[in-house]
Amino acid sequence: MELFLPCLYAFLACLGFCVLFRISGPGAVLCSLGGALAWLVYLLTGPIMGNNDVIQYFWAAVFLSAYAEVMARVRKCPATGYLLIAFIPLVPGAGIYNMMDAALRGDTQDFLTTGLHTLSIAGSLAVGVLVVSSLVRMQNMLQHRRRSKGGGEP
Amino acid sequence: MDYDKLLTLSSDLGYYLLLSGAEIYRVEESVQYLLNAYGVETGEVFAIPNCVIVSLTAPGQKPITQMRRVPGHGTDIRRMEDLNALCRGLCAQPPDLDRAAEALAETVGRTPHTPVAVELAAYVLLTSAFCLFFGGTARDAFCGGLCGLAVGLVVPFLTRLGTNLFFKAMVGGFCCGLLAAGLTDLGVGEHIDLIIIGAIMAQAPGLVITNFMRDIMAGDMMSGLVKLAEALLTGAGIALGTGVALSLVNAVWGVL
């Protein structure tokens, strides 16, 4: 139950964003499901990775980009929608708020601590996405080359 | 072939893609593919989040360039998917340029607006879900939903008035802070910090900072820096607005 409820909330939050970003129909459900599953990955990798949240975010991002690429193939549409909306439960929105709040309070120490933590979360999410998308790109390029080579021969 | 028309077509495509919130690499690649499909090998495109520049050199002619500024915009995935499909279609079988321009205009004009009530319901849903997500109780979620409703009423209105990013974030944060503090003081909400953090998620500052990292690491330095500035401004605006609201409520509550 303690795994299920946060994922349900993540699902609902993503569903709200689907409406705002104008995704409808089965796409909206799949996007939101991606958000919920990514949060599940984040929670499950916790005990394995020694509760280091930066690493947990990395694995969640890897899972999510793989999910987005698969769904983009299945539904024949860009992966952007999935990457954008399903990422919302993961992104450090609270972190950036806390960071700027500390800056406005004049608490430099807290500003630096939360700021660096926010940046490292954002960084690990970005690395997770880039690892998968670079691999997919390389594979596409390889396929493309093979196909154009094959087409050249009679 | 009329290269002026091709230039207008491709920069319009880039403009509308950026306006719908597409990534920089998608904009640049789509325009590049389109130019290649019409047989222009010497076309160049450069895009950052608020500007797109397309330049091409037709055989035996002078180089021509067009630049489009892109105003502040939201995200419209449906339109982006439509434009992507259109671009694929145009590249697979390049039609007459006039026909292609018509197809683009038709795709852009096709977007019906989401009813306001549905949009407000989405704001309420996502803010209350985030309050629960961050560990709030049902009463916190109720307050978060009310804050989300306020943001959903105020922010799109300010967008229509052409308000800038910072001011919008500040007013949004102010509304959240005012409602959250008021409701907590009245005994409806329980955890004011969770209500505020849930409610400000409607303005999604975290999304921008993740996209900034992605752009920087992918090598789009300029657009990454633009996004970093955007994320910091939004965060500062929200924090400032919330801070002002909280101190105001505390002062009034102290007098009463």
Side-chain angles (χ1 to χ4, degrees), chain A residues 129-143:
Chain A
V129 176
L130 282 179
V131 165
V132 175
S133 64
S134 308
L135 286 178
V136 168
R137 245 159 196 258
M138 282 194 278
Q139 204 243 344
N140 280 351
M141 201 56 110
L142 218 63
Q143 252 177 4

Side-chain angles (χ1 to χ4, degrees), chain B residues 37-89:
Chain B
Y38 280 97
V40 177
E41 297 297 335
T42 50
E44 295 292 344
V45 51
F46 177 75
I48 53 173
N50 47 17
C51 180
V52 54
I53 305 172
V54 184
S55 169
L56 66 88
T57 316
Q61 290 179 29
K62 282 184 185 168
I64 42 177
T65 303
Q66 189 170 12
M67 183 179 113
R68 295 289 302 265
R69 281 295 298 263
V70 182
H73 52 82
T75 310
D76 188 337
I77 303 285
R78 168 93 64 83
R79 185 190 263 186
M80 197 205 72
E81 287 179 357
D82 286 351
L83 285 171
N84 195 59
L86 173 80
C87 179
R88 273 168 185 256

Side-chain angles (χ1 to χ4, degrees), chain B residues 139-208:
Chain B
R139 277 157 71 179
D140 292 335
F142 174 72
C143 299
L146 283 183
C147 296
L149 190 66
V151 173
L153 281 171
V154 171
V155 171
F157 176 66
L158 288 178
T159 310
R160 269 199 290 283
L161 292 183
T163 318
N164 63 37
L165 193 78
F166 184 73
F167 191 73
K168 246 181 350 199
M170 213 172 76
V171 174
F174 183 77
C175 293
C176 289
L178 208 60
L179 270 174
L183 288 169
T184 316
D185 281 343
L186 288 174
V188 185
E190 289 173 84
H191 307 97
I192 185 166
D193 48 338
L194 296 179
I195 299 175
I196 289 178
I197 289 177
I200 61 159
M201 288 304 273
Q203 290 170 290
L207 209 54
V208 186

Side-chain angles (χ1 to χ4, degrees), chain A residues 6 9 12-13 16-17 19-22 24 39 78 80 84 88 91 94 96-97 99-100 104 119 126 130 137, chain B residues 23 25-26 29 75-78 84 112 114 119 122 125-126 132-133 197 200-201 207 210 213 217 235-236 240:
Chain A
Y9 300 147
L12 290 176
F17 268 104
V19 175
L20 294 187
F21 289 178
R22 299 204 339 106
S24 51
W39 192 251
T80 323
L84 215 62
I88 288 178
V91 295
I96 194 162
Y97 165 76
M99 164 182 155
M100 295 320 279
L104 293 174
L119 275 184
L130 282 179
R137 245 159 196 258
Chain B
E23 308 98 314
Y25 81 89
R26 187 180 301 285
E29 277 179 7
T75 310
D76 188 337
I77 303 285
R78 168 93 64 83
N84 195 59
T114 318
E119 216 163 70
L125 175 70
L126 77 92
L132 291 170
F133 182 76
I197 289 177
I200 61 159
M201 288 304 273
L207 209 54
T210 308
M213 276 289 184
M217 289 181 189
L240 195 65

